Amino acid sequence: MPKGRNMLKKKALFRIWILLAVLILAFSNAKANENHTDQLISDILNTRQAIINGTKGVTPESFVFLVFWDFDGTIIRGDCSEGLTDGGREVYEGLAVAAIKAGFSEIYSPQNGAERFWQDYRHMEKHIGKWLAYPFIVQMLRGAKESDIRTFAARHFEKVLRHYYFASSLKILKALEENGIENHVISASADVFVGGAAATLGLPAGRFNGIQVAIENGKLTEKLVYTVTWSHGKTQKLISIVNAVSRRYQGKKVFVLAAFGDSYGTDGPFMRYVATQLLPAGKPLAVMINAEDAPVEFRGLFITVRQSEIVR
């Protein structure tokens, strides 16, 4: 083989080896960034066991252990209501627009109502506040049958949204369930939307809590049911769930072991509530996923992690 051609072949092989090395390094870094899952599972289970071991004259069945999750950006990449875009490209359609296109809104037409909805929603979110914008998503479905919306949401999760769950979040959630720890979701998405995730996550529908409106004659109204599950409202909802669990399991001790979220504004208050508890043994965890630097009032309270791998 001529010397020049041999040199070109060596250069080509060298480039291929460099490319492979870069790809292997990138893959290793991605995996390393999500190695937090095993440690978090271990820490939560160790706290559970420490509480059991530190209480005399009881069995594990004498306790009920809970963990609380935000949903959008925490369990699912993106937002089940708003959808997900990446660089201006739609990755998946959220339930708000999907419901409009399916004819569930009396305010926005299936043909061209989506654009009007986004204009109204973003205006409220930017110029008035999320406290008005978030509930509006379920309020614009007034007149729709609750059962129809819930069935529609469950189908959208089965066909589309389940493929965008964070692999790390699912691993943690399933490991906790397998060890007898109840996972509960508190979301600022509509209750009739987020509850549609139940079957795809293998959790009872009653463990999902979102923004609710009153139901009259089986149909959604515009009347909000308080507490609204956003910001401090999530803390109030968490407390009400713990109280309800305590009433259901009379005689058992109920403890909250951890909280997961992705937003200091929406999730910070309920996560701080969990993080600052005094447990009889061990320490509660509060895990912030893919969030930026913590505001002053939350610094030092949360474990921060990065995750991007999704379940396809």
Side-chain angles (χ1 to χ4, degrees):
M1 180 183 291
K3 186 178 292 186
R5 185 177 297 178
N6 189 42
M7 183 63 70
L8 288 173
K9 185 178 180 180
K10 287 182 178 179
K11 287 182 178 180
L13 286 171
F14 179 73
R15 291 193 185 99
I16 291 171
W17 278 112
I18 291 294
L19 179 60
L20 285 172
V22 170
L23 290 173
I24 290 169
L25 181 61
F27 179 79
S28 299
N29 285 340
K31 288 293 183 182
N33 288 340
E34 302 212 26
N35 281 346
H36 58 270
T37 54
D38 291 338
Q39 186 62 57
L40 292 175
I41 293 168
S42 177
D43 289 345
I44 294 169
L45 295 182
N46 286 342
T47 297
R48 171 186 177 274
Q49 196 59 47
I51 292 172
I52 295 171
N53 292 344
T55 309
K56 295 181 179 179
V58 298
T59 64
E61 290 70 31
S62 303
F63 301 90
V64 180
F65 295 102
L66 310 177
V67 167
F68 286 88
W69 296 77
D70 168 54
F71 189 79
D72 300 307
T74 301
I75 293 176
I76 191 172
R77 181 179 174 228
D79 189 294
C80 73
S81 297
E82 298 182 15
L84 176 64
T85 58
D86 187 1
R89 178 184 65 87
E90 183 179 77
V91 178
Y92 67 77
E93 187 172 75
L95 277 160
V97 168
I100 290 170
K101 290 181 178 179
F104 285 112
S105 176
E106 293 181 349
I107 302 174
Y108 302 108
S109 71
Q111 291 75 30
N112 54 17
E115 185 176 349
R116 275 191 53 220
F117 161 75
W118 281 122
Q119 291 173 352
D120 294 343
Y121 179 72
R122 293 305 182 199
H123 176 81
M124 282 185 275
E125 187 179 38
K126 182 177 180 180
H127 298 288
I128 303 175
K130 293 178 179 179
W131 62 268
L132 184 69
Y134 289 171
F136 177 71
I137 289 180
V138 66
Q139 289 175 313
M140 64 97 176
L141 299 174
R142 67 185 185 193
K145 287 185 179 180
E146 180 190 15
S147 59
D148 289 348
I149 289 287
R150 289 192 181 277
T151 299
F152 178 79
R155 287 175 181 165
H156 197 60
F157 270 101
E158 179 62 35
K159 293 179 180 179
V160 179
L161 303 181
R162 69 178 303 165
H163 302 295
Y164 295 92
Y165 291 150
F166 283 122
S168 291
S169 293
L170 258 63
K171 182 178 179 180
I172 296 168
L173 187 149
K174 290 179 179 179
L176 298 181
E177 283 289 323
E178 289 169 358
N179 283 275
I181 298 171
E182 289 189 9
N183 292 278
H184 291 257
V185 173
I186 304 178
S187 172
S189 280
D191 190 78
V192 291
F193 283 172
V194 73
T200 58
L201 290 175
L203 297 177
R207 302 258 197 94
F208 291 80
N209 305 270
I211 296 177
Q212 294 179 286
V213 292
I215 308 298
E216 295 179 0
N217 299 317
K219 295 182 178 182
L220 276 64
T221 69
E222 291 179 316
K223 303 171 188 175
L224 286 175
V225 174
Y226 292 89
T227 299
V228 176
T229 51
W230 174 73
S231 192
H232 292 283
K234 287 194 173 189
T235 308
Q236 296 172 34
K237 188 65 178 179
L238 183 153
I239 293 170
S240 72
I241 292 170
V242 171
N243 290 337
V245 170
S246 297
R247 289 192 297 270
R248 186 163 71 247
Y249 298 104
Q250 289 188 12
K252 294 189 177 185
K253 299 178 183 296
V254 180
F255 295 105
V256 180
L257 300 180
F260 293 81
D262 78 307
S263 165
Y264 292 106
T266 302
D267 306 321
F270 93 87
M271 292 177 65
R272 174 171 54 193
Y273 177 85
V274 172
T276 55
Q277 296 175 104
L278 292 176
L279 297 178
K283 183 180 179 182
L285 295 185
V287 183
M288 191 65 78
I289 298 171
N290 295 340
E292 301 305 323
D293 293 340
V296 174
E297 63 266 34
F298 297 124
R299 285 179 189 167
L301 290 177
F302 307 147
I303 296 169
T304 57
V305 300
R306 292 284 173 186
Q307 54 188 50
S308 58
E309 185 180 348
I310 58 174
V311 176
R312 286 291 188 179

